[in-house]
Amino acid sequence: MTARDDTPAARDDAPAGGGVAGGRPGRPGAGTAAGVPGAGSGAGPRVAAAGQQPWDAAGVAGTGSAAGPGTRPRRPWRGADRWAPRLLLLLSLVSVVTTVGIVVALAGETAVFFRSVSPVEFFTGREWTPLFAEKHFGILPLLAGTLMITVIALVIAIPLGLGSAIYLSEYAGDGTRRVLKPALELLAGIPTIVYGYFALTFITQVVLKRLFPDISVFNALSAGIAVGIMVTPLIASLSEDAMAAVPRRLRDGAYALGATRWEVARQVVVPAALSGIVSSVVLAFARAIGETMIVAVAAGSTPRLTWNPLESVQTMTGYIVQAALGDVAHGGLEYTSLFAVGMTLFVFTLAMNLLALYIRGRFREEYQ
């Protein structure tokens, strides 16, 4: 009798408690060599019989046929290969549809705005007073305030983030890394409104007032410092991940040539992880330029074309918050100006993300 001889007659011929090589149990208590240990012959490891699927053998392994003799194990996800790709595709398209919806909403109202305001006046004007009786729609003061706070934030965040990443990647032990990295990333989870009041009540009043007695209560410097602290975990975490991906053999080769640990970090690891580091900086720039609550609380709401960080300024997001909280009539010129500013901010952020993708692809190094 062969392993495939599973006819009723063959099953009837099988001795009780005995085994049939490669067969299935014909009745309770009848084990097989590929079947139920302890219930049959107990001989050797179980293997799937010819024409039998591996899960058929696994389904009865060690259970004495838990699902019952002669029955196949239930596979509730058997059809997942048919519908799972479609479901996952729909989930992936959510972000695309959302982005398209945002662009359509912004573009429609922005077009209405530019029917009344010249694009030349919008992009080159030096006064921004859409909520005043005498209205001016020059966005340069908002751009200057936004860029100044973003630059201050990066001046703070890049040394802190990059230094933390190098330490965690090249110097810290496993125990230190397990404590420091989550603690550093915890900063990213603090609500931005908390950062705003921290900048207003501590950074300005306790720290900066002692250094600059004439500093305004609302100023760009404290807001930039707070934004820099907020985006530091972004640079540190992404840069550390990029450095950790550098192959160990590059470090070992440098050590074999007599390089010190600092030389390995500076001349081997950082250049090899440069694309990831630059991408993290660009993403931090995009995150800082779109920050809202910190600048709304700490930087003030004075749309002033100045490069003095000790004065109050207003950013693009700060104006959107101010106008949205005021009595702006729906459909009016002030209302549509919100969308024009939002579209400008969206273009800046999109450009930064595209730049990050380009840099990542341009300077990416692959190792085998």
Side-chain angles (χ1 to χ4, degrees), residues 205-271:
Q205 301 297 333
V206 178
V207 179
L208 297 181
K209 274 286 186 183
R210 297 180 181 178
L211 302 175
F212 310 102
D214 297 331
I215 191 173
S216 300
V217 174
F218 301 101
N219 59 84
L221 183 57
S222 64
I225 293 173
V227 174
I229 295 173
M230 183 195 68
V231 300
T232 293
L234 182 62
I235 297 177
S237 183
L238 294 179
S239 297
E240 196 272 337
D241 290 342
M243 293 178 189
V246 175
R248 182 68 194 175
R249 63 178 182 273
L250 295 182
R251 295 178 174 87
D252 293 339
Y255 287 131
L257 295 175
T260 64
R261 181 171 290 188
W262 171 247
E263 289 173 336
V264 170
R266 186 171 59 88
Q267 299 180 5
V268 176
V269 177
V270 171

Side-chain angles (χ1 to χ4, degrees), residues 167-215:
Y167 174 76
L168 290 173
S169 172
E170 304 303 316
Y171 291 94
D174 291 339
T176 305
R177 186 183 297 108
R178 282 195 295 267
V179 173
L180 278 185
K181 190 170 183 180
L184 184 63
E185 293 173 344
L186 190 63
L187 289 175
I190 297 176
T192 55
I193 187 66
V194 175
Y195 278 114
Y197 282 102
F198 174 72
L200 183 64
T201 60
F202 182 80
I203 296 178
T204 297
Q205 301 297 333
V206 178
V207 179
L208 297 181
K209 274 286 186 183
R210 297 180 181 178
L211 302 175
F212 310 102
D214 297 331
I215 191 173

Side-chain angles (χ1 to χ4, degrees), residues 32-37 43-48 57-58 60-63:
T32 69
V36 187
R46 294 176 301 278
V47 295
V60 297
T63 64

Side-chain angles (χ1 to χ4, degrees), residues 106-119 121-123 128 130 136-139 319 331-341 344:
L106 289 176
E109 297 293 344
T110 302
V112 174
F113 173 79
F114 281 119
R115 291 174 189 168
S116 303
V117 178
S118 167
E121 177 189 352
F122 183 74
F123 290 110
W128 180 263
H136 296 279
F137 294 95
I139 200 174
Y319 167 72
L333 193 56
E334 299 87 351
Y335 175 79
T336 56
S337 70
L338 292 174
F339 293 88
V341 174
T344 305

